[in-house]
Amino acid sequence: MGRRSRQYKSVPAAAAATAASLQEFAQLDTSLPLREKVRTLAPVAYGVRDIGSSLMPGHRSGFARILEYLRQHVGQIVPESELFVVAGIDDWARRLRELRVEHGWPIYSGMTFRQIAAEDPDQQASIEAHLGFPVSGLRPEEYVLLEDAPDAFAAAHWKLLKSLRNSKASLQDRMLSLLRQSVGQPISGEQFRYIAGKANEWPRRLRELRTEQGWPVQTRMQGRLDLPVGSYVLVEDRQAPPHDRKISDSVWSEVLKRDQFRCRFCGWSRADSHPDDRKQFLELHHLIDHAAKGQNTAGNLVTLCNVDHDDVHAKRISLPAGWP
């Protein structure tokens, strides 16, 4: 490990010291051996880090400087060259990963954005609506802090993430295990990418869990406006009946917006949720049952809370005629 960066009392003092080292290198005899040239140039490299860390005198560690720099530029593209400068340490990339995965800061890389754009266009649209610019074209070495708030469950997730990353199970099984052990807790795309390792198809596998296998994984695009941008949550540890698994995300969004993100029967919304209340999430109900050839279209679907939806199927309540 190289020497720790030095914080000068003033940036001009740090710049002057580095300039002196660079001047010494510039005056070297060109006939000197290569190693002598490298040894003379090394203080310049360290000097650049000293200048960077001196820019943020109130933050003593590279970890703290990276976080503070990103927090000053929430929602903006920050290239790795800027993080290298302000970090002032060799292992800045590891500290960045710790911020993302272990501490739950929603720092998304260009690589993660690309994977989401390729496999989960609805999530991409949600992120772009929040940021105000397209994300699919970001380079792998570019980063964005989506929101100035860490995941409250990051510490609890960390040991689980490590064990799943090293698991021999399939990627989709690892992802489902993470969701089922974190019911009701948001999981970021970066956390899924971490357990996926080198596999880049995690957004597709996640979408399949929701749309083909019927696990109630929701995002902001499914009406969970309380969720952090770019995150996913398993709202209940149960699969939907097979006939409900083919409702497209676009139809989900259309019905929820039409019904103003409220249960059409009782008016419940996420804003009314309470940990002690059985009403916890919204579902879509077929007016004409699938067995009677009812279609997965907006005209045949209405929004109900999970309690009223169960009561309808148990015939404890009846819906008014004329819906939707």
Side-chain angles (χ1 to χ4, degrees), residues 234-272:
L234 181 66
V235 296
E236 190 177 31
D237 191 12
R238 70 172 180 176
Q239 288 178 277
H243 64 270
D244 284 348
R245 300 178 189 176
K246 300 297 183 181
I247 303 174
S248 69
D249 286 347
S250 59
V251 170
W252 267 94
S253 297
E254 180 182 352
V255 176
L256 287 169
K257 290 177 182 177
R258 182 200 65 202
D259 295 341
Q260 301 180 327
F261 299 96
R262 291 184 173 277
C263 173
R264 286 282 295 274
F265 189 80
C266 71
W268 183 89
S269 75
R270 285 287 307 174
D272 304 315

Side-chain angles (χ1 to χ4, degrees), residues 253-309:
S253 297
E254 180 182 352
V255 176
L256 287 169
K257 290 177 182 177
R258 182 200 65 202
D259 295 341
Q260 301 180 327
F261 299 96
R262 291 184 173 277
C263 173
R264 286 282 295 274
F265 189 80
C266 71
W268 183 89
S269 75
R270 285 287 307 174
D272 304 315
S273 63
H274 188 278
D276 296 328
D277 190 354
R278 285 187 57 230
K279 296 182 179 182
Q280 289 294 318
F281 52 92
L282 297 172
E283 298 178 322
L284 299 190
H285 170 70
H286 289 81
L287 295 171
I288 300 176
D289 192 74
H290 209 270
K293 301 190 182 302
Q295 301 299 306
N296 291 332
T297 60
N300 189 46
L301 293 164
V302 293
T303 306
L304 295 177
C305 67
N306 59 298
V307 172
D308 287 342
H309 197 191

Side-chain angles (χ1 to χ4, degrees), residues 26-301:
Q27 294 174 348
L28 276 182
D29 184 343
T30 57
S31 65
L32 287 173
L34 173 62
R35 190 169 190 186
E36 186 65 28
K37 296 175 183 177
V38 171
R39 283 175 169 173
T40 306
L41 186 59
V44 177
Y46 286 123
V48 171
R49 298 192 315 183
D50 293 344
I51 297 171
S53 60
S54 297
L55 289 170
M56 306 177 71
H59 303 277
R60 301 299 299 176
S61 70
F63 181 95
R65 289 191 291 272
I66 292 171
L67 177 57
E68 178 59 24
Y69 191 76
L70 289 168
R71 294 184 70 185
Q72 290 186 24
H73 301 88
V74 176
Q76 300 178 35
I77 301 170
V78 177
E80 67 176 19
S81 58
E82 296 179 22
L83 298 177
F84 164 78
V85 169
V86 300
I89 54 176
D90 289 330
D91 56 353
W92 67 270
R94 181 158 63 96
R95 298 295 178 245
L96 181 63
R97 189 199 66 202
E98 291 171 358
L99 284 168
R100 292 155 58 190
V101 182
E102 296 181 39
H103 296 268
W105 286 93
I107 305 166
Y108 276 47
S109 67
M111 179 61 70
T112 299
F113 283 137
R114 286 186 182 186
Q115 293 171 353
I116 291 174
E119 304 290 353
D120 195 346
D122 287 325
Q123 186 70 291
Q124 176 194 1
S126 174
I127 293 172
E128 291 181 342
H130 175 75
L131 293 175
F133 57 81
V135 298
S136 59
L138 267 66
R139 296 190 295 272
E141 66 273 14
E142 294 179 319
Y143 300 88
V144 178
L145 176 61
L146 295 184
E147 296 182 310
D148 190 15
D151 171 17
F153 304 101
H157 281 155
W158 173 230
K159 289 185 179 180
L160 177 58
L161 290 172
K162 287 197 296 184
S163 67
L164 291 173
R165 181 183 173 93
N166 297 324
S167 170
K168 300 299 183 183
S170 70
L171 173 57
Q172 192 167 75
D173 286 344
R174 280 180 273 155
M175 296 171 68
L176 180 58
S177 179
L178 175 59
L179 288 165
R180 296 186 71 183
Q181 294 184 65
S182 312
V183 174
Q185 301 175 11
I187 312 275
S188 74
E190 282 291 348
Q191 289 171 320
F192 280 119
R193 190 167 86 88
Y194 176 76
I195 67 171
K198 296 182 179 179
N200 60 11
E201 75 274 13
W202 65 266
R204 181 168 78 250
R205 300 300 177 218
L206 190 56
R207 188 182 69 245
E208 290 170 355
L209 285 172
R210 184 177 74 243
T211 61
E212 297 179 15
Q213 298 187 30
W215 291 97
V217 180
Q218 294 188 353
T219 67
R220 289 170 71 95
M221 289 297 287
Q222 277 76 51
R224 286 294 304 272
L225 301 180
D226 60 307
L227 289 177
V229 178
S231 66
Y232 306 79
V233 66
L234 181 66
V235 296
E236 190 177 31
D237 191 12
R238 70 172 180 176
Q239 288 178 277
H243 64 270
D244 284 348
R245 300 178 189 176
K246 300 297 183 181
I247 303 174
S248 69
D249 286 347
S250 59
V251 170
W252 267 94
S253 297
E254 180 182 352
V255 176
L256 287 169
K257 290 177 182 177
R258 182 200 65 202
D259 295 341
Q260 301 180 327
F261 299 96
R262 291 184 173 277
C263 173
R264 286 282 295 274
F265 189 80
C266 71
W268 183 89
S269 75
R270 285 287 307 174
D272 304 315
S273 63
H274 188 278
D276 296 328
D277 190 354
R278 285 187 57 230
K279 296 182 179 182
Q280 289 294 318
F281 52 92
L282 297 172
E283 298 178 322
L284 299 190
H285 170 70
H286 289 81
L287 295 171
I288 300 176
D289 192 74
H290 209 270
K293 301 190 182 302
Q295 301 299 306
N296 291 332
T297 60
N300 189 46
L301 293 164

Side-chain angles (χ1 to χ4, degrees), residues 4-23:
R4 296 172 63 88
S5 60
R6 174 184 174 187
Q7 284 193 327
Y8 285 74
K9 292 183 178 180
S10 71
V11 173
T18 303
S21 297
L22 186 59
Q23 182 65 24

